[in-house]
Amino acid sequence: MSSRLSKLKRWPSWFLMLVCAGVLMFLGTQRDSGPSTAQERIEAISQRLACPTCDGESVYESRSPGSQAIRQEITRQVADGVLTDGQIVRMIDDSYAADLKLIPSATGFDALIWVLPVAAFVAAVGGLIIVFRRWRREGSLVATQEDQILVTQARQDKD
Amino acid sequence: MFAVSINAALGRGAILLGLLTCLSGVAVTIAGIRQHDLRALKSSARYAYVAFFAALLAFVMMERALITRDFSMKYVQQVGSRDTPAIFNVTALWSALEGSILLWLLVLTAFVAAVARKFRGRAGDELLAWAMVVMFVVGLFFFFLSFGPANPFTMGPLGVSDGPGPNPLLQNHILVLFHPPILYIGYVGFTVPFAFAMAALITGRVGEGWLLETRRWTLYAWGFLTVGIILGSWWSYEVLGWSGVWAWDPVENASFLPWLTGTAYLHSVLVQERRGMLRVWNLSLVIATFSLTILGTFLTRSGVINSVHAFSEGSVGPWLLGFFAAIVIVAIILIGRRGDELRSPGAIDSPISREGAFLANNVVFSAFAFVVLLGTVFPLIVEAVDNRRLVVGQPFFNRMTMPLGLTLLFLMAVAPVLPWRKASQEVLRDRLFWPAWCGVFTLAVAVFVGADGWAPLTAFAMGGFASGAALRQIVLASRRQGWRGVVGRANGGMVVHIGVIIIAVAFTASNSYTRTQEFVMNEGETVTFSGHSFTFEGLSLESDDVKTSVKAAVRIDGDQIYSPSRSKYIKQGMDIGTPSVKSGFVNDLYLTLEGTVRPDDTQARIKIFVKPLIMWLWIGGALMAIGTVLAAFPGKRRRPTAPVSAGLEESVQEVADHA
């Protein structure tokens, strides 16, 4: 039984598993994952814009008059069906003095918010690789006879 | 009539008593350490008890003032009201800055007193004495805040006989009674491991001793913080009316940041206990976790950041920022001073090992915390540098944290099956086989029920993979140890993992597959949406002393009536919408009443959200809480000082010194 199980767990089964996963992912990603109604498109756009009058909320979350006005504008634009989601966001953002986009741009000073995390992550992973290499070079420490005596003594003292 | 009310007088006296007690506690304990005076060291417990009594008295006086409507006090004028229901009069204490600092003080001093009580037999231990000093210093700082810049007991203008009451959003749901105190227990609980870490750095006993002393304290703090965050999400879902549970709001982020570093610490500490490694890293994580609670308090209490949760601008900001800076500077100096003593013996043999996976987990958690911190403070940086307003919102956080979340799910799948030191290909192939098939099976189910999009599908597959690994561990442990297979740190941890996975899957599903439609409905009209029928049966008016509410009656699937409403809070003049939710294991039907409504209208705008798997968020949260309790139980019994693996020579020396 156990030998049959271990045979089952060999590479061909893993290959079959990967194929199954790949096929399923392919099937799943072929479907349309966008908003299915105009209302859902309005909701999706409103999640990308900040409420102009409230504290750190999006138009989607906020119920303030300022957000209601933007929501109505989005509804109008979606009903017209001329502009894409991105164009609607840009158009509304341009019509306000403040920056309403909830996602910072990737240019100028704002680009730092995108670059810094990636740089930090790369540095951390790089650091980890260097440390692992050093560890591999140095190898593990082996307890010396002095260490053994120290441990025995400490145990005896504790007991 | 007193010029100063009895509540204010006693409250102020209590704060002063606490302040002086903490100050004396610091002085007497340090003197005791310097002079090796056991009597002085033993007395530090008494200072802890008195500080707790002082905070409790101040808390009780403030509650008494709110309940008896003592409008001579400024704070009661600000958040109290004659019409507020009794329960929300109690919760009004933590509905604004000064009261929330008072709650912080109560929880903090309770922890200090509990530590003093727990270690009462070891008053002469220098590590413990320094930990008490650090906790007294933290207590001193918060008593000072309460005595000066955030004094809740100042007198208000004369002749005020009523107030507005708390923010309407804070008198709309019973969860406001539980969410803040539980969150604070988690937040403040991290003071204990922080104090022991600082004590370890001061005394030079930087081995594993302080970790073992604080293992459960850290776990409890983390557990309470987890439950607090989940309850906050639940409150947001039930009250705010936008149907979401997490908005990446700065205040939410402030609670999430210490959770991330605390979670990283709970994992990396295992490497130090087992292999004696990562000493500086673990000290840094504990210090970072505590510092982030102070930074979070600064962000939410100073008014520097725009948030629906944040309190109005006060003068506590510079003090909190100064305290945060002091903690970081002192910690860096202490770590620098210990230099070589912190160098860990031993090495990690292979990245494909349990400790290798924990390291990777720590890198991802740290990156996660960095992204959240950067996204939270970036608007401040832009304002300071560029003098313009920028809001960093949900789309940024979702985009940046999604790959990190998926990586964490993958690590949750792989790490539990990895052995310490090194894993061979055969071991990996053998142990990951069924968990991996669990992932494929979950993916198949997701595709079969209509899920789409590569990110959600990957999350479901990884969730299945990780839950397969966790279940495998629980089954194996239960076979070996019977009922003990679900208790102990490793096994309880697997229950926590299952809770996290359930939350990740539910969060992904509810974020990706919510269906929404707004209907303008006439009385008696029925609409069908997402396979459910909704019949609008009319509007009704309800009023009490606090608010006037217009409620819509909507019958779902010809069965029960649900009533989303809009309420006008009379004193604040605020119009608040309250959703009505039909919860189910597969979908929640979330209804809101939109626009301006009058009770005699025969038409209403009803917005319907169909939100999948929301209930599983709360079930996952409950599992995490249960898993935390199980993890706190002793598993396979082992003397805490017994060496467990190679590379603990300093720890052994520490034991020898101590003995």
Side-chain angles (χ1 to χ4, degrees), chain A residues 5-14 16-18 20-40 42-44 46-58 60-63 68 71-72 97-105 107-121 124-125 128 131-132 134-136 138-144 147 150-159, chain B residues 240-244 247 249-250 275 277-278 306-308 344-351 353 355-356 359-360 363-364 367 370-371 374-375 378 381-382 385-386 388-396 399-400 404 421 425 428-434 436-437 440-441 443-444 446-455 457-458 461 465 512 514-518 529 566 592 594-595 605 607 609 611 639 641-643 646 649 652-653 655-656 658-659:
Chain A
L5 254 180
S6 58
K7 265 185 196 164
L8 185 72
K9 292 176 181 176
R10 284 184 187 163
W11 291 122
S13 306
W14 280 90
L16 177 69
M17 190 192 300
L18 278 177
C20 289
V23 169
L24 288 165
M25 279 299 279
F26 178 77
L27 289 176
T29 49
Q30 289 311 297
R31 296 174 181 153
D32 178 20
S33 58
S36 61
T37 63
Q39 182 70 43
E40 281 167 20
I42 296 166
E43 305 292 338
S46 68
Q47 285 178 23
R48 294 167 63 179
L49 288 161
C51 162
T53 53
C54 31
D55 291 334
E57 288 179 281
S58 66
Y60 177 70
E61 294 154 35
S62 167
R63 296 288 176 269
Q68 299 288 2
R71 208 189 300 264
Q72 279 168 12
D99 193 356
L100 293 190
K101 289 193 299 291
L102 280 172
I103 193 150
S105 67
T107 55
F109 188 76
D110 292 2
L112 277 180
I113 200 171
W114 300 103
V115 173
L116 284 177
V118 177
F121 187 71
V125 173
L128 214 54
V131 169
F132 269 115
R134 206 180 62 200
W135 276 331
R136 191 169 292 174
E138 287 173 358
S140 297
L141 288 181
V142 179
T144 62
D147 296 336
L150 197 63
V151 170
T152 315
Q153 195 182 345
R155 278 179 160 169
Q156 280 167 355
D157 288 350
K158 192 72 189 162
D159 292 338
Chain B
L240 295 182
W242 62 280
S243 88
D249 173 276
R275 305 286 311 272
M277 302 177 71
L278 309 183
N306 293 327
S307 158
V308 276
S344 308
I348 291 184
D349 308 82
S350 161
S353 61
E355 52 271 51
L359 263 186
V363 168
V364 181
F370 182 69
V371 167
L374 186 68
F378 198 70
I381 300 170
V382 168
V385 174
D386 234 9
R388 63 188 162 89
R389 180 180 179 259
L390 176 84
V391 183
V392 178
Q394 211 161 358
F396 166 79
R399 192 178 292 183
M400 293 299 279
L404 297 169
R421 290 196 175 271
Q425 261 186 23
L428 281 180
R429 221 167 48 196
D430 178 60
R431 294 184 182 178
L432 287 174
F433 187 75
W434 293 118
W437 270 113
V440 176
F441 177 72
L443 178 62
V447 172
F448 180 73
V449 298
D452 55 19
W454 76 267
L457 288 174
T458 310
F465 188 15
S512 308
T514 293
R515 292 285 168 253
T516 318
Q517 188 63 54
E518 193 174 293
F529 179 61
R566 293 204 75 82
T592 58
E594 299 290 315
R605 271 169 57 203
K607 197 167 185 177
F609 299 82
K611 299 196 67 79
R639 277 190 312 151
T641 48
E649 59 186 63
V652 172
Q653 182 63 57
V655 171
H658 184 62

Side-chain angles (χ1 to χ4, degrees), chain B residues 30 62 136 253 285-286 299 331 381 428-429 452 462 549 626:
Chain B
I30 290 179
M62 180 49 78
F136 280 135
N253 295 349
L285 277 178
V286 166
L299 292 175
I381 300 170
L428 281 180
R429 221 167 48 196
D452 55 19
M462 287 299 158
S549 306
I626 292 167

Side-chain angles (χ1 to χ4, degrees), chain B residues 435-576:
Chain B
W437 270 113
C438 267
V440 176
F441 177 72
T442 312
L443 178 62
V445 171
V447 172
F448 180 73
V449 298
D452 55 19
W454 76 267
L457 288 174
T458 310
F460 298 147
M462 287 299 158
F465 188 15
S467 57
L471 284 171
R472 177 187 176 276
Q473 293 300 103
I474 291 173
V475 168
L476 289 178
S478 300
R479 270 195 207 156
R480 274 198 311 268
Q481 304 166 36
W483 66 272
R484 276 191 174 275
V486 287
V487 300
R489 199 159 33 156
N491 304 328
M494 287 304 110
V495 178
V496 175
H497 273 200
I498 292 174
V500 174
I501 294 158
I502 289 174
I503 288 176
V505 168
F507 190 72
T508 307
S510 67
N511 265 7
S512 308
Y513 307 120
T514 293
R515 292 285 168 253
T516 318
Q517 188 63 54
E518 193 174 293
F519 295 95
V520 178
M521 296 169 76
N522 293 311
E523 220 170 270
E525 186 183 343
T526 299
V527 295
T528 304
F529 179 61
S530 213
H532 298 274
S533 70
F534 302 85
T535 308
F536 173 51
E537 303 206 335
L539 295 168
S540 63
L541 181 72
E542 267 180 28
S543 26
D544 54 33
D545 295 337
V546 181
K547 61 183 187 293
T548 306
S549 306
V550 178
K551 291 190 168 184
V554 180
R555 195 180 290 281
I556 298 180
D557 294 331
D559 192 13
Q560 209 174 328
I561 288 180
Y562 290 82
S563 303
S565 63
R566 293 204 75 82
S567 303
K568 183 95 177 172
Y569 280 77
I570 299 160
K571 282 184 177 161
Q572 293 88 348
M574 277 171 77
D575 190 23
I576 301 286

